[in-house]
Amino acid sequence: AQKVTQAQTEISVVEKEDVTLDCVYETRDTTYYLFWYKQPPSGELVFLIRRNSFDEQNEISGRYSWNFQKSTSSFNFTITASQVVDSAVYFCALSEASWGGYNKLIFGAGTRLAVHP
Amino acid sequence: SAVISQKPSRDICQRGTSLTIQCQVDSQVTMMFWYRQQPGQSLTLIATANQGSEATYESGFVIDKFPISRPNLTFSTLTVSNMSPEDSSIYLCSGGTTETQYFGPGTRLLVL
């Protein structure tokens, strides 16, 4: 069965600190996709990144970076020099691949990040 | 990115009544899903909305309680039937493309 674990329930940091959000997944599929979403207080789910199981290259986008390691089934998310606007709940999710698009998403419990001035 | 809209954005309902939520996606979307997010919780898939046929429900969700329609590629409805306070949640529609899944803004439902 597929499962996503985000062990960190809440993280509190001071602005400009770096912070890493952990994500560990379980799946028996050889082809799958991993996602990170941000849910700010407004409630809307904002897509951040998708990574397929064959691409283990790390990715950097501005202050955001992602580290995908199949050997440890982890897909961790780092925010460098955090800002107050980064305060949100962050969800890691897993999806099998299917024809015509992605299959259902299995979400982790989420990590609530609070960045204080 | 795909554009997904939902309405209503929020509602307060009395127990025992039903509410229908509408979801409109743009043409990039191939698959549509309905999720529920209970207060302070993660998202749980209710069902996959299938065009022109019955939705595929996840364990713990049944058609009598959450009837879903998808008459065409870009439109779907979710009805929350015979509501109770336990149904108070955010209901989110999502659309899958070849790139990712995008989410609508959600419908915040409070049942009194």
Side-chain angles (χ1 to χ4, degrees):
Chain A
Q2 296 183 321
K3 184 179 178 182
V4 177
T5 300
Q6 294 179 256
Q8 304 151 308
T9 306
E10 292 188 30
I11 300 176
S12 181
V13 300
V14 176
E15 220 173 6
K16 298 184 183 178
E17 283 186 32
D18 298 346
V19 58
T20 295
L21 283 60
D22 297 333
C23 174
V24 174
Y25 63 92
E26 296 176 29
T27 180
R28 293 180 183 173
D29 297 323
T30 55
T31 303
Y32 52 89
Y33 296 86
L34 295 165
F35 301 78
W36 277 94
Y37 287 88
K38 174 182 180 180
Q39 189 175 45
S42 61
E44 191 162 349
L45 222 60
V46 179
F47 165 72
L48 295 178
I49 191 172
R50 176 208 66 170
R51 172 66 75 227
N52 74 56
S53 52
F54 298 109
D55 182 3
E56 286 193 72
Q57 277 194 337
N58 293 331
E59 181 153 340
I60 298 174
S61 176
R63 296 184 297 107
Y64 295 170
S65 62
W66 291 269
N67 180 257
F68 176 29
Q69 293 193 342
K70 287 179 75 171
S71 60
T72 56
S73 297
S74 65
F75 187 44
N76 296 336
F77 173 32
T78 297
I79 301 174
T80 302
S82 59
Q83 300 176 2
V84 173
V85 293
D86 296 327
S87 298
V89 179
Y90 291 86
F91 291 99
C92 180
L94 169 69
S95 170
E96 300 171 343
S98 69
W99 71 271
Y102 298 107
N103 210 333
K104 61 186 180 183
L105 292 175
I106 307 298
F107 282 86
T111 296
R112 182 176 298 277
L113 174 64
V115 182
H116 302 284
Chain B
S1 62
V3 176
I4 301 178
S5 61
Q6 277 184 243
K7 58 180 181 181
S9 59
R10 59 178 66 232
D11 207 341
I12 301 174
C13 300
Q14 297 297 318
R15 68 171 66 211
T17 63
S18 298
L19 175 72
T20 295
I21 302 168
Q22 298 180 5
C23 177
Q24 181 76 49
V25 302
D26 67 23
S27 58
Q28 297 177 59
V29 167
T30 51
M31 302 184 76
M32 292 181 72
F33 305 92
W34 286 98
Y35 290 83
R36 181 176 74 180
Q37 186 178 23
Q38 294 178 301
Q41 303 295 313
S42 185
L43 284 80
T44 301
L45 181 67
I46 297 172
T48 302
N50 299 310
Q51 182 192 358
S53 64
E54 189 173 295
T56 304
Y57 290 85
E58 296 299 305
S59 176
F61 297 96
V62 295
I63 188 172
D64 290 346
K65 176 66 176 177
F66 297 102
I68 289 170
S69 76
R70 188 181 176 188
N72 56 56
L73 263 181
T74 62
F75 184 78
S76 178
T77 66
L78 166 73
T79 299
V80 186
S81 303
N82 188 24
M83 288 184 285
S84 66
E86 291 72 35
D87 294 320
S88 298
S89 296
I90 301 174
Y91 292 86
L92 297 107
C93 169
S94 82
T97 72
T98 54
E99 292 301 313
T100 190
Q101 275 197 34
Y102 296 97
F103 284 81
T107 296
R108 293 176 182 269
L109 172 61
L110 176 62
V111 184
L112 303 177

